[in-house]
Amino acid sequence: MATLAPVMDLQADMNTQAHAARTGTSLAHVLAIDDDPILRAAVADYLGQHEFRVTAVADGRAMQAVLAGEVVDLIVLDLKLQTEDGMALARRLREESTIPLIMLTGRSEEADRVMGLELGADDYLTKPFSPRELLARIRALLRRSRMQETVADGLARIRAYRFAGWELGVRLRRLKSPTGETVALTNSEFNLLAAFLAAPQRVLSREQLLDLSRLHNDEVYDRSIDVQVGRLRRKFKSKGTRAQLIRTERGAGYVFTVEVETVR
């Protein structure tokens, strides 16, 4: 089976490319990394039937080869590869790109899921999973990614936001307190704060904030926005800001309460 699997993976890729050529469409390219040849073949076949181009590989070296030579729209990565550290691969992916990333984990491995999300993964699935759920999550994540690209286009025209004595430098991703101190932000905290600053004094639902900040959206982690908001509040408070900059609107979401100046 181990020698047959790469042939099946290649055939799935060839079939979806042939379909695209016949129909004149450009298919989203999914790169799947899993050392289980049966799962690779099943994922490639199922997604290929639903108009995705799929390249399925077994390890990090093959993953890097694909990324070096082709445009990839989304990555599905198994964190429990037998011969290498899937978490290290996820970290490298986030350091080198912003390609949407779905992790595959074991059902009881909550610590891995949390760490993967902290590293910047966008979603996860626990094994065993249904191909239909994987397909739904891929489609949802690609929609969110396209929306994020629109937000990123807007941020590209902005140099900084200023509010209540604070300044968020967009290009350097640097937050300065009213006393001039630099306050460290994680990627998730920066994205969430930027989403608030782009729409001040407006109620933003958790769903809107999830989409705008690309935080993980799942029934187990549906409080992730609340966690990130709590972290931002503590950072504001630690630098002497007593005003409630982010107010909870019960049952509706959150409001960034103060006026924001945009520096272009």
Side-chain angles (χ1 to χ4, degrees):
M1 178 65 73
T3 57
L4 181 60
V7 176
M8 290 190 290
D9 297 345
L10 177 61
Q11 187 62 50
D13 199 1
M14 292 172 61
N15 288 343
T16 52
Q17 289 187 67
H19 172 81
R22 288 195 306 271
T23 60
T25 58
S26 177
L27 303 182
H29 185 189
V30 175
L31 173 58
I33 303 98
D34 197 299
D35 54 11
D36 181 342
I38 296 176
L39 182 60
R40 286 202 310 274
V43 167
D45 182 61
Y46 188 82
L47 295 181
Q49 293 176 28
H50 290 82
E51 298 189 351
F52 283 91
R53 180 187 170 203
V54 184
T55 302
V57 300
D59 54 39
R61 179 179 297 182
M63 175 191 78
Q64 291 293 346
V66 174
L67 291 172
E70 302 189 47
V71 175
V72 172
D73 296 284
L74 182 142
I75 295 172
V76 179
L77 171 65
D78 184 6
L79 292 184
K80 290 296 183 181
L81 301 173
Q82 293 182 6
T83 59
E84 55 194 316
D85 183 359
M87 202 71 73
L89 291 181
R91 183 180 295 107
R92 189 191 314 165
L93 283 168
R94 266 303 157 260
E95 290 173 351
E96 297 175 353
S97 77
T98 58
I99 299 172
L101 173 62
I102 296 177
M103 307 176 301
L104 303 180
T105 72
R107 183 172 297 278
S108 61
E109 296 158 357
E110 182 177 356
D112 284 348
R113 296 197 295 271
V114 172
M115 186 175 295
L117 293 170
E118 287 293 335
L119 287 175
D122 300 282
D123 204 347
Y124 76 87
L125 270 178
T126 55
K127 292 182 175 179
F129 58 85
S130 113
R132 289 180 62 187
E133 183 176 7
L134 175 61
L135 175 64
R137 287 178 181 264
I138 287 174
R139 286 173 170 168
L141 183 50
L142 287 174
R143 285 196 300 270
R144 285 165 51 193
S145 177
R146 294 183 188 111
M147 179 181 294
Q148 182 68 18
E149 288 172 359
T150 301
V151 174
D153 290 341
L155 285 176
R157 296 190 292 271
I158 295 171
R159 288 189 293 133
Y161 291 108
R162 292 174 182 152
F163 57 96
W166 292 77
E167 181 177 282
L168 180 68
V170 171
R171 295 174 187 174
L172 296 177
R173 303 173 75 88
R174 181 178 297 164
L175 179 63
K176 284 191 175 182
S177 74
T179 60
E181 295 177 80
T182 297
V183 179
L185 294 176
T186 66
N187 285 337
S188 295
E189 289 165 354
F190 172 84
N191 290 339
L192 181 59
L193 181 55
F196 276 125
L197 297 178
Q201 300 177 320
R202 287 172 45 194
V203 177
L204 295 174
S205 69
R206 288 182 177 84
E207 183 178 22
Q208 288 174 309
L209 290 168
L210 284 165
D211 286 338
L212 292 171
S213 63
R214 287 187 63 187
L215 291 175
H216 180 71
N217 187 6
D218 186 87
E219 66 277 1
V220 178
Y221 289 91
D222 63 353
R223 312 305 289 183
S224 57
I225 286 289
D226 301 336
V227 171
Q228 300 294 339
V229 166
R231 290 175 178 172
L232 287 175
R233 283 171 170 166
R234 286 193 293 273
K235 290 185 176 183
F236 290 140
K237 188 176 181 180
S238 71
K239 300 304 177 184
T241 297
R242 296 180 179 273
Q244 188 181 35
L245 299 184
I246 304 174
R247 185 178 68 237
T248 302
E249 292 290 334
R250 191 172 301 276
Y254 292 97
V255 176
F256 198 81
T257 60
V258 298
E259 293 183 359
V260 176
E261 176 189 356
T262 301
V263 181
R264 298 182 184 275

